[in-house]
Amino acid sequence: MGDFQIFAAKPGDEEAIFQLIRGLGEYEKLSHEITGSSQLLREHLFGEKTFAEAVLAKSGDTPVGFALFFYNYSTFLTKPGVHLEDLFVVPEYRGKGIGKSLLTKVESIARERGCGRLEWNVLDWNEPAIAFYKKYGAEVLPDWRICRVVL
């Protein structure tokens, strides 16, 4: 596996996860869209009513990657699914199996919970990520587009 550990995020990890979110925003050239905070992240991951879960990768004591996910639902399967919102590994730690381990962990959680699908989005210009996902066995669906209303 390598010199890293994957584990479920717990209260106190929100600052590390938020810094990784900032790293993801920088990588995707979307830093200007990050308007949240580690405090909101803590509330939404670990508060009274949670909206998402996360797994964290650390090399020693250094956070090097994360995956954040939440439930969705398939009416066609009549089963819950998992939507992987973000998967990110710090660039200097890529190629060590961390991304695959994070994705495998989220997939195993979805399977254990009886989910019918694990889905996520990828930017069309992000060829390294697309290649990684295809190598993992994911199908990149060409017929679907994301629709969004900002509230």
Side-chain angles (χ1 to χ4, degrees), residues 44-71:
H44 296 150
L45 290 177
F46 311 116
E48 189 173 316
K49 183 174 181 180
T50 61
F51 294 95
E53 297 176 59
V55 290
L56 191 58
K58 283 188 177 182
S59 178
D61 290 332
T62 304
V64 296
F66 81 106
L68 189 139
F69 59 96
F70 51 86
Y71 286 109

Side-chain angles (χ1 to χ4, degrees), residues 3-4 20 57-60 62-65 89-99:
D3 187 28
F4 61 90
L20 290 164
K58 283 188 177 182
S59 178
T62 304
V64 296
V89 176
V90 175
E92 55 268 27
Y93 285 89
R94 293 181 185 160
K96 300 176 185 290
I98 297 169

